[in-house]
Amino acid sequence: REMADKLIRVAAERALRRAPIMEPMPHAWEEFATRFPYQETDDQLSAIEDVLTDLGSGQPMDRLICGDVGFGKTEVALRAAFIAAMAGYQVAIVAPTTLLARQHGKVFVERFAGFPVKIGVLSRMTSTADAKIIRENIASGEVQIAIGTHALLAKSIEFNHLGLLIIDEEQHFGVGQKERLKELRGDIHVLTLSATPIPRTLQMALSGVREMSLIATPPVDRMAVRTFVG
């Protein structure tokens, strides 16, 4: 009950706050979008449009992107991160596993190649020396996009100018961890990605405490997943 009370209070406070208005830089945005090697689905385009509207509204975004694995949620996150980073804000991307954090790191580095954006990845696989440098660069603002596991939520991590928080597979994080994320700053934009949102998250989205975009259309030529139990 206490946690529910806190969730609603955080949501109410966020609704009253102002957040930085972030808008895409036309030419750079088009160049970044054309790097996506696939054809966007209608639902994907609509989710990207929702995020663009949220980022430019002046109110803190709290949007859930719900879609099956492989339906293109990461692309929505990439574009949101691009807008925030190019607008001069830091972006934190939190993933539940080291493997996913590394995968995101690889994808983000490839897509942002050639743009003036520095990316840092923090996970168990990061050496102690590298982690120390990345933490210092996050605090100084030199690292604009920080990707990591819940190591990013440690009290020792201080952001210089955090503007956007992206939570991947949020059903794997505890309530306390997620609220710690939001308490970092009440006026940051929050984008949550999930293929299987937990009932509380879904309830909050359906009751209007947070916004939701559904990506229900599979990409062209997408093969169905077949599972065999042997």
Side-chain angles (χ1 to χ4, degrees):
R1 200 179 294 129
E2 279 174 26
M3 194 50 93
D5 182 54
K6 201 169 170 190
L7 286 167
I8 296 297
R9 199 175 316 125
V10 168
E13 281 173 11
R14 286 170 62 80
L16 295 172
R17 285 192 173 156
R18 305 302 293 159
I21 293 175
M22 301 177 186
E23 289 175 335
M25 298 159 72
H27 299 304
W29 169 253
E30 282 150 21
E31 187 192 332
F32 187 79
T34 55
R35 289 185 177 189
F36 183 49
Y38 309 100
Q39 178 66 48
E40 295 95 338
T41 61
D42 290 348
D43 283 358
Q44 215 177 0
L45 287 170
S46 141
I48 291 166
E49 199 54 49
D50 288 344
V51 170
L52 279 173
T53 305
D54 286 352
L55 291 175
S57 71
Q59 272 196 314
M61 167 170 76
D62 192 0
R63 183 170 290 278
L64 166 67
I65 306 285
C66 186
D68 208 345
V69 175
F71 276 30
K73 299 186 295 294
T74 306
E75 182 59 24
V76 181
L78 274 158
R79 298 202 192 182
F82 179 78
I83 293 169
M86 294 300 275
Y89 293 91
Q90 281 180 306
V91 181
I93 298 151
V94 187
T97 63
T98 301
L99 190 68
L100 201 52
R102 281 177 64 192
Q103 189 181 322
H104 280 325
K106 185 170 176 286
V107 171
F108 272 72
V109 167
E110 282 171 7
R111 280 296 291 279
F112 278 88
F115 287 103
V117 175
K118 189 167 180 185
I119 297 168
V121 182
L122 267 184
S123 72
R124 268 182 322 156
M125 306 296 281
T126 314
S127 70
T128 312
D130 285 348
K132 183 173 181 287
I133 293 166
I134 291 169
R135 276 198 293 271
E136 285 169 2
N137 288 344
I138 289 172
S140 70
E142 197 179 325
V143 164
Q144 284 152 293
I145 298 181
I147 301 170
T149 53
H150 50 269
L152 267 188
L153 308 183
K155 291 275 196 285
S156 60
I157 303 277
E158 280 185 28
F159 286 89
N160 181 289
H161 196 36
L162 186 62
L164 172 65
L165 167 66
I166 298 171
I167 308 169
D168 194 13
E169 298 293 339
E170 61 96 48
Q171 71 277 10
H172 290 293
F173 292 98
V175 179
Q177 287 173 328
K178 276 181 285 198
E179 290 320 296
R180 153 91 183 112
L181 286 162
K182 279 190 197 165
E183 282 165 10
L184 286 173
R185 282 262 306 279
D187 54 354
I188 60 170
H189 294 292
V190 180
L191 185 65
T192 305
L193 316 175
S194 180
T196 51
I198 51 176
R200 179 180 56 245
T201 301
L202 203 54
Q203 167 64 20
M204 285 171 77
L206 294 172
S207 61
V209 172
R210 65 201 298 186
E211 301 296 322
M212 177 164 72
S213 298
L214 275 174
I215 301 183
T217 46
V220 180
D221 297 333
R222 153 94 182 192
M223 304 290 280
V225 175
R226 297 172 72 195
T227 307
F228 296 89
V229 179

